[in-house]
Amino acid sequence: MIFKTVLNSRIFLWTLLAIPSIPMILAFANGAVSEDGRPATEFLLHPTGEFAARFMIISMIISPFRLMFPKNGFWFWMVRRRRYFGVAAFTYAAFHTVLYLIDMGSLQAVLGEFLAFGIWTGWLAFFIFVPMAVTSNDASVRRLGRFWKPLQRFGYLAAVATLLHWMFVHNEFGPALVHFVPLALLETYRISRVFGSGSTAAPA
């Protein structure tokens, strides 16, 4: 009973989602330097971006897995907490963006590389994240009504922009594809199930 109460606690889930950020925040606060001499604002860019992408992917694979295993209690539990993972993705993305701005050092430097493909795709993903995160609450669901779900569907565009940002900033496709190919396969399955059955929506 106690375990179930803890598992269903918002504090427990927020703590779980925050755990990866703890060493990052400490490194940033202490002005840590990597073994190869890079400051925290630089060497933390990759892990913060990775966790933003991972939590975004987790929030997006929940619906396909719920379709695949409709009677599984775990995926029902995940559906009810999907927004937490989306907000966590935005929080790590915001941390990633702050580190980037500090590392660049000036607005001129930021604008100077803004049009680079790997950069503006990252900004696009972040700007999409903002309204999605702000409206990830019950009050916004009620206020926006039927417009809420279409707004949240912009997450698919954010996912594509995140994938492109990851690949072209680092000029390596392998790690990004390892994360995003499973998402693409699961979304293909979900779309085929939804349209194949004549339904208009995945299970909530």
Side-chain angles (χ1 to χ4, degrees):
M1 189 67 171
I2 295 176
F3 175 76
K4 187 175 181 180
T5 301
V6 171
L7 191 62
N8 290 324
S9 166
R10 292 182 179 183
I11 295 176
F12 168 76
L13 185 54
W14 281 126
T15 301
L16 196 64
L17 295 173
I19 286 175
S21 71
I22 294 174
M24 301 180 197
I25 293 171
L26 290 175
F28 175 64
N30 294 327
V33 178
S34 66
E35 292 182 358
D36 56 1
R38 292 178 298 154
T41 52
E42 183 179 345
F43 74 75
L44 290 176
L45 281 171
H46 189 63
T48 51
E50 272 198 1
F51 274 101
R54 286 168 182 166
F55 284 132
M56 177 190 66
I57 290 169
I58 290 172
S59 72
M60 296 179 74
I61 66 173
I62 292 172
S63 288
F65 273 118
R66 175 72 170 144
L67 268 176
M68 199 177 296
F69 305 106
K71 296 182 180 180
N72 186 285
F74 171 74
W75 290 110
F76 179 74
W77 184 89
M78 288 289 283
V79 166
R80 293 170 63 91
R81 289 153 183 83
R82 177 166 39 201
R83 281 185 243 163
Y84 293 91
F85 291 92
V87 172
F90 168 74
T91 303
Y92 281 89
F95 191 10
H96 178 75
T97 303
V98 169
L99 290 171
Y100 169 74
L101 292 174
I102 295 174
D103 189 57
M104 292 301 291
S106 70
L107 179 60
Q108 183 178 1
V110 172
L111 294 176
E113 68 171 25
F114 183 82
L115 294 180
F117 188 76
I119 299 300
W120 72 256
T121 48
W123 280 112
L124 175 62
F126 181 70
F127 289 143
I128 293 173
F129 274 144
V130 173
M132 291 180 63
V134 170
T135 57
S136 289
N137 54 76
D138 292 336
S140 293
V141 173
R142 291 192 298 269
R143 189 176 302 114
L144 292 172
R146 64 188 178 89
F147 296 106
W148 186 80
K149 279 192 175 181
L151 173 62
Q152 295 298 313
R153 290 192 183 108
F154 276 98
Y156 296 107
L157 177 57
V160 173
T162 300
L163 170 62
L164 295 173
H165 170 65
W166 190 340
M167 290 193 302
F168 285 92
V169 160
H170 297 287
N171 290 317
E172 56 180 9
F173 292 3
L177 292 176
V178 165
H179 284 76
F180 281 89
V181 166
L183 172 62
L185 293 175
L186 285 166
E187 284 299 330
T188 300
Y189 166 79
R190 183 184 69 83
I191 292 170
S192 66
R193 277 288 304 273
V194 169
F195 286 95
S197 64
S199 173
T200 57

